[in-house]
Amino acid sequence: MASSKPSKVPLSQRTLRPPPTAQTKIPPVEIYILAMGLTGAGKSTFISVVTGDSTIRVGDPGELDSVTDSVADYVLSIKKDGTSYQIHLIDSPSFDDGTVADVKVLTRVADFVNTHYKLGNTLAGVLYLHDITKAKMGGVGQRNLRMLEQMVGIDKWDNCTLVTTKWGCTTDFAGEEAREKNLMDKDQYFGSMLKSGHQASMSFGDHQATSQEHLRRRFNPHISQQMADPNGPMLSLGDTDAGRVVADGLEELERVVGENEELVESRQLLTRKFNEMLFEKYKSERDKLIREQRLHKAGRWAVRTVIVGGAIVATVVTFGPGASAFALEPAYETYANKQRNDDRGKMFSLTQRCKKDSETHIDDNGGYDPAWLYDRKVKSMNDLSDNYNLRSSSSTDLSNIATVGEVATDLGTITIKDDNIV
């Protein structure tokens, strides 16, 4: 019996499967958590354990100096309840290297927090780490806590987690528990934050859980509302509630040791408003890049002199052209061009970041044209005339000045070509 072939379905009657559609990749949720604490509390160790980054430098047992001297951002990627997160754990310098040093540290932390506030990257929480093996919390630690309280804001304390570290590092576990109870009960320690209507939380041991508690929290720090909010008072650092805690410490120090250069410098830092802090940040980066580029340029001329000089000597000695020496020149020029382009790229990147930040942050002036970065005569914000104001009709077009031109500076004339210093 012949098998019957299946009938062919007309094209018009077929059910066509729709082509697969590309799924839109949802970017991870960005979370920013600031870690603070005294030297030796274990901030860097905590972040190293949470992120699994073994390259993070941590202090050795018994080391008295902080290993973190600048604000650093470390990223942990996780997925929880179907949502991808990128947790930015911010390692801050310690506040207990002296009152004068505290001013510099607060300046760095405030600059970081305020910058992210203006960019819309609100904090998800603050972790305050405390070494449970410490027999007591002295005046430095208490001042640090008062600074933390005022920086965050009393009505935002519920975004803080007080983390005790180094449990089990002594043989006296009962003593560690007694110290924890003392910290929690007394208002001059953690008590005021734990008893508040906006209650902070306590944590120890589980590093991952501590950071993940803040995944769904968002808040704007009090210090940012005082310094960086265009609708706020736009205070200087020293006039903020957190800054006054440090300023009071400076007054006490002056009564003990008298006036000195460090105290004068610290007071100057406290008088800066956020836009001035931002200016100093980019001026410092600019000066560093110019020094690097001038060293690179001097090095290139030195090598060229050796190559050409060697070729001439070879020609005289051999009574013929020093071809082998001259052959080195094209290979070196390839390297020199790459170095020059790298230097230009760094400078151009700096100008772009400066332009973006100044447009966002310097609300009262509308931001400044980053062309001032090419002008070494600009040493303070007072030197930023209308020529560099983005709202001014005389504002310099960066694309014109950076394409080709020269700027007279106190380091000599800087030639600008292809968007960067030559």
Side-chain angles (χ1 to χ4, degrees), residues 22 74 138 142 242 395:
Y74 300 99
Q142 293 179 48
S395 177

Side-chain angles (χ1 to χ4, degrees), residues 8 10 24-25 66 90 110 173 227 326 347 351 367 373 383 407:
K8 193 172 184 181
T24 303
K25 187 175 182 180
S66 173
I90 314 304
F173 186 73
M227 293 187 71
F326 276 118
M347 191 65 185
T351 60
L373 288 165
D383 299 326
V407 177

Side-chain angles (χ1 to χ4, degrees), residues 3-110:
S3 60
S4 60
K5 293 183 179 180
S7 58
K8 193 172 184 181
V9 179
L11 183 63
S12 60
Q13 298 178 14
R14 295 181 189 176
T15 301
L16 300 179
R17 184 175 299 173
T21 57
Q23 292 184 346
T24 303
K25 187 175 182 180
I26 301 175
V29 179
E30 303 270 358
I31 300 294
Y32 293 84
I33 300 175
L34 178 65
M36 298 177 62
L38 302 182
T39 296
K43 299 187 304 298
S44 298
T45 301
F46 178 92
I47 293 175
S48 177
V49 171
V50 171
T51 61
D53 186 349
S54 59
T55 64
I56 298 175
R57 188 188 169 206
V58 299
D60 296 324
E63 189 172 356
L64 298 179
D65 295 327
S66 173
V67 298
T68 304
D69 58 6
S70 61
V71 179
D73 185 347
Y74 300 99
V75 179
L76 167 68
S77 297
I78 68 168
K79 193 166 186 176
K80 188 175 179 66
D81 299 330
T83 303
S84 296
Y85 295 92
Q86 273 197 341
I87 302 176
H88 295 259
L89 290 167
I90 314 304
D91 194 1
S92 66
S94 299
F95 277 93
D96 64 334
D97 290 327
T99 305
V100 172
D102 286 353
V103 175
K104 295 179 181 178
V105 173
L106 181 59
T107 300
R108 292 173 187 153
V109 173

